[in-house]
Amino acid sequence: MTELIGISPQLLFAQVLVGLINGAFYAVLSLGLAVIFGLLNIINFSHGAMYMVGAFCSWLGMQYLGINYWAALILAPVVVGVIGLLIERTLLRRIQHEDHLYSLLLTFGLALMLEGIFVELFGVSGQRYPVPDLLNGGINLGFMFLPIYRAWVVAAAVVVCFTVWYLIERTKLGAYLRAGTENQALVQAFGINVPMMRNLTYGFGVGLAAFAGVLAAPIYSVAPHMGSSIIIVVFAVVVIGGMGSVLGAIITGLGLGVIEGLTRVFYAEISNTVIFIVMAIVLLLRPAGLFGRQS
Amino acid sequence: MQSQPKAPLSESDKSYEQLRISDLHAYYGESHVLHGIDLQVRRGEMVTLLGRNGAGRTTTIRSIMGLVDRRSGSIVVNGTETVHMSPHRIARLGIGYCPEERGIFASLSAEENLNLPPTLRSGGMSLEEIYELFPNLKDRRKSQGSKLSGGEQQMLAIARILRTGANFLLLDEITEGLAPVIVEALGRVVRLLKERGYTVVMAEQSFAFAGPLADRHYVIEHGQVVECVEAHELDSKRDLLESYLSV
Ligand SMILES: Nc1ncnc2c1ncn2[C@@H]1O[C@H](COP(=O)(O)OP(=O)(O)O)[C@@H](O)[C@H]1O
Ligand SMILES: [Mg+2]
């Protein structure tokens, strides 16, 4: 293949891949945020911190307990999920009838505390996490070199996203969740234990963030601030996709990752801000987001 | 699980107290809406709560379900005191609730709405029975809740609580704002419920709809029961009732 408007295809594909990887993280993280926002009406500012704790869980597990990557992929979300259950049960539930701002501040405060604790314990610099043996190396596709681990991240994220989408849109459990998003009191008046459902949803949402953290560990270094740097972009993704829309979160996450990657090729100067530019445009044209229900 | 109601309905059960409300006070935030409601409903009875708009009928029904901010007094359902219970535990005593605003979930299809409420007891109607009773719903089962007409939404709101096996139904102004032909159809449904031995509490504006079927009417005004009219007194007290309910 020759040059395309003065840009080498190698560079183009490489950036699309980087975009897809970032997009995979955006998708999984914004999916968890969307699910939590949908049912609990909480803008979970500690989502980035949970992603970071998930990454640290896998690193600590490997370092001190000899737990390998594959086990961490299951265990870290479970551990963080349980932390989420406790946070919801002991803190968030107390302020569920208060204004949005309270839960926003509370989760923001939690994020700062978690980051502070990890900085105190491990310093600000990152810890390296090796790529698991099975996923080492890469494939030469002819037009580009594809590292296997990166392909795995995109595939794993896509599978998880669509599994969650299926659960929510196509099952009875998901119907409770969707109905609860609209009218919790009525769902509870039908005999469903809504407080427990909120609790499990929060745990599940932050568990998803931890899953993304484990996926991220071998790519980015495991560092206390890894969450706060990605979460701002993820919030923009959620706003663009439409608050609380599951499909919106997934598609927007992946799409914006790719847009970001392409921007790096064609106009690198704005690659760090392009998502916010898109956000501004979307908010002007469709205030409820691309997939949100316009009221 | 809570203690289940005893055997199915028989003649001897007619005196079984399905609901006893004593000195019920209810509040939304700071506003005190019910001021000491007393009423009782025996198994298999159909009872109406009559009153003008704002009298407190909806609040009474929502209080039974535990859906007000605060309540005090006593609400005994099937022998269980529920005034401190959460809504989902109250529902599990076998209560089906049809809210005034119908509460059809817009993002769910008609059939998902129908299947949403979990089974509370055995003996609920099957999907076939329900579609036989409400043929429109069968044609519309794939439609989104938000796309249904007012009448269809009302049918669906009733249908979905009949599936659950609930034997005690709270129906809040089911005829409000509906065309006469739909009101007629709902009348047939309510008659069937009565024949099948359901216990029903209905909020209504007037006794026109449920008058001929109900065993008793409670007139509510300013959050209190101001008059209780038994079915056989309906004719003699008609003028009194009219004066309470006229606007
Ligand atoms: N959510 C609420 N918050 C505050 N006041 C309410 C609320 N709902 C109803 N009320 C008040 O409670 C009173 C009784 O209302 P309601 O039970 O809906 O009456 P009805 O069903 O008989 O028309 C009215 O004065 C109404 O304004
Ligand atoms: Mg009312």
Side-chain angles (χ1 to χ4, degrees):
Chain A
M1 230 187 281
T2 50
E3 300 223 326
L4 182 78
I5 24 176
I7 285 152
S8 86
Q10 274 80 3
L11 178 64
L12 185 67
F13 288 124
Q15 288 302 340
V16 168
L17 179 65
V18 170
L20 267 180
I21 302 227
N22 288 337
F25 290 113
Y26 299 159
V28 176
L29 288 171
S30 57
L31 176 61
L33 276 179
V35 171
I36 291 173
F37 180 79
L39 188 69
L40 288 89
N41 235 323
I42 286 174
I43 301 175
N44 185 35
F45 262 82
S46 52
H47 216 66
M50 295 299 178
Y51 162 81
M52 178 272 290
V53 174
F56 263 102
C57 275
S58 60
W59 179 77
L60 287 168
M62 185 196 64
Q63 202 74 359
Y64 297 104
L65 304 170
I67 292 170
N68 72 18
Y69 174 83
W70 302 103
L73 215 43
I74 310 282
L75 287 175
V78 170
V79 169
V80 173
V82 170
I83 296 173
L85 298 182
L86 293 174
I87 291 175
E88 195 282 333
R89 186 69 190 81
T90 56
L91 301 172
L92 293 171
R93 188 170 298 185
R94 291 172 193 277
I95 52 169
Q96 74 178 73
H97 299 295
E98 308 293 335
D99 191 89
H100 268 34
L101 266 180
Y102 288 84
S103 57
L104 193 149
L105 286 173
L106 185 104
T107 53
F108 186 58
L110 277 173
L112 293 180
M113 282 167 61
L114 283 169
E115 281 188 15
I117 291 170
F118 279 82
V119 168
E120 192 62 36
L121 293 175
F122 304 103
V124 286
S125 63
Q127 314 288 342
R128 291 189 47 77
Y129 190 97
V131 172
D133 292 338
L134 197 61
L135 302 173
N136 240 319
I139 313 166
N140 194 340
L141 297 177
F143 55 91
M144 69 178 292
F145 181 77
L146 177 67
I148 293 177
Y149 188 76
R150 306 206 159 204
W152 150 253
V153 166
V154 175
V158 167
V159 167
V160 163
C161 284
F162 281 95
T163 307
V164 173
W165 173 83
Y166 182 88
L167 272 176
I168 292 176
E169 297 295 332
R170 295 286 181 268
T171 68
K172 186 75 186 281
L173 198 68
Y176 289 152
L177 205 73
R178 279 176 289 142
T181 300
E182 284 186 45
N183 186 347
Q184 256 166 72
L186 185 57
V187 170
Q188 194 171 4
F190 285 149
I192 294 160
N193 190 340
V194 169
M196 185 168 85
M197 193 163 101
R198 292 169 62 100
N199 189 240
L200 294 176
T201 301
Y202 190 76
F204 179 76
V206 299
L208 273 179
F211 178 81
V214 181
L215 284 183
I219 297 187
Y220 312 119
S221 62
V222 177
H225 294 303
M226 65 189 285
S228 51
S229 51
I230 194 172
I231 204 66
I232 301 299
V233 177
V234 172
F235 275 116
V237 169
V238 172
V239 170
I240 295 168
M243 275 295 199
S245 160
V246 169
L247 193 61
I250 300 173
I251 294 176
T252 318
L254 285 169
L256 286 173
V258 172
I259 289 178
E260 209 181 22
L262 289 175
T263 312
R264 218 167 280 131
V265 178
F266 292 106
Y267 195 56
E269 290 82 350
I270 60 160
S271 64
N272 290 326
T273 42
V274 64
I275 287 186
F276 300 98
I277 297 171
V278 173
M279 180 175 88
I281 295 170
V282 168
L283 285 182
L284 283 175
L285 300 178
R286 283 178 72 90
L290 294 177
F291 296 82
R293 226 170 290 129
Q294 314 286 327
S295 52
Chain B
M1 270 325 286
Q2 296 297 309
S3 59
Q4 288 291 319
K6 319 215 165 45
L9 185 69
S10 69
E11 277 307 303
S12 62
D13 278 319
K14 282 278 155 88
S15 60
Y16 184 94
E17 215 166 59
Q18 184 82 39
L19 172 71
R20 171 183 283 273
I21 297 181
S22 336
D23 194 30
L24 172 66
H25 291 253
Y27 307 78
Y28 289 113
E30 291 300 303
S31 81
H32 186 173
V33 173
L34 299 186
H35 301 265
I37 297 267
D38 294 280
L39 59 86
Q40 334 153 26
V41 182
R42 285 186 291 275
R43 176 156 301 169
E45 276 188 330
M46 185 168 278
V47 163
T48 69
L49 308 179
L50 303 177
R52 297 194 186 97
N53 262 331
R57 298 158 298 153
T58 295
T59 306
T60 305
I61 287 180
R62 290 177 60 88
S63 297
I64 298 170
M65 288 314 305
L67 295 175
V68 293
D69 294 342
R70 193 157 67 81
R71 62 216 160 114
S72 70
S74 163
I75 304 174
V76 177
V77 177
N78 273 344
T80 305
E81 177 57 70
T82 64
V83 83
H84 299 297
M85 280 165 63
S86 352
H88 63 276
R89 294 188 49 223
I90 297 174
R92 292 196 169 272
L93 297 172
I95 307 183
Y97 168 52
C98 179
E100 183 169 26
E101 68 285 0
R102 296 173 191 141
I104 297 305
F105 297 101
S107 61
L108 274 60
S109 70
E111 194 151 81
E112 279 181 312
N113 267 286
L114 191 54
N115 285 319
L116 188 80
T119 302
L120 303 172
R121 307 166 81 256
S122 57
M125 289 189 192
S126 65
L127 221 48
E128 294 78 62
E129 258 181 300
I130 283 177
Y131 282 143
E132 203 175 305
L133 202 55
F134 304 98
N136 293 12
L137 293 184
K138 186 164 191 180
D139 305 331
R140 302 286 269 136
R141 65 188 183 280
K142 297 285 175 222
S143 308
Q144 282 246 299
S146 52
K147 302 263 157 54
L148 302 177
S149 72
E152 288 164 342
Q153 291 197 6
Q154 188 61 70
M155 306 261 180
L156 183 52
I158 298 175
R160 70 181 169 188
I161 57 175
L162 298 180
R163 234 199 70 257
T164 66
N167 58 353
F168 176 23
L169 309 181
L170 305 175
L171 310 179
D172 197 349
E173 295 214 43
I174 55 171
T175 58
E176 196 182 10
L178 296 179
V181 7
I182 296 170
V183 174
E184 234 170 81
L186 288 172
R188 285 193 294 275
V189 171
V190 169
R191 179 167 295 113
L192 181 86
L193 297 179
K194 167 109 180 157
E195 282 163 12
R196 295 222 182 161
Y198 283 87
T199 309
V200 183
V201 172
M202 329 177 55
E204 284 293 319
Q205 290 261 6
S206 78
F207 49 88
F209 178 66
L213 290 170
D215 297 287
R216 192 159 53 262
H217 307 270
Y218 289 99
V219 181
I220 296 183
E221 208 169 78
H222 303 304
Q224 281 177 314
V225 173
V226 290
E227 187 67 42
C228 171
V229 180
E230 297 288 339
H232 67 265
E233 303 171 309
L234 195 55
D235 282 331
S236 57
K237 291 196 175 170
R238 190 168 291 258
D239 290 342
L240 177 72
L241 272 177
E242 302 269 19
S243 71
Y244 272 123
L245 301 175
S246 65
V247 251

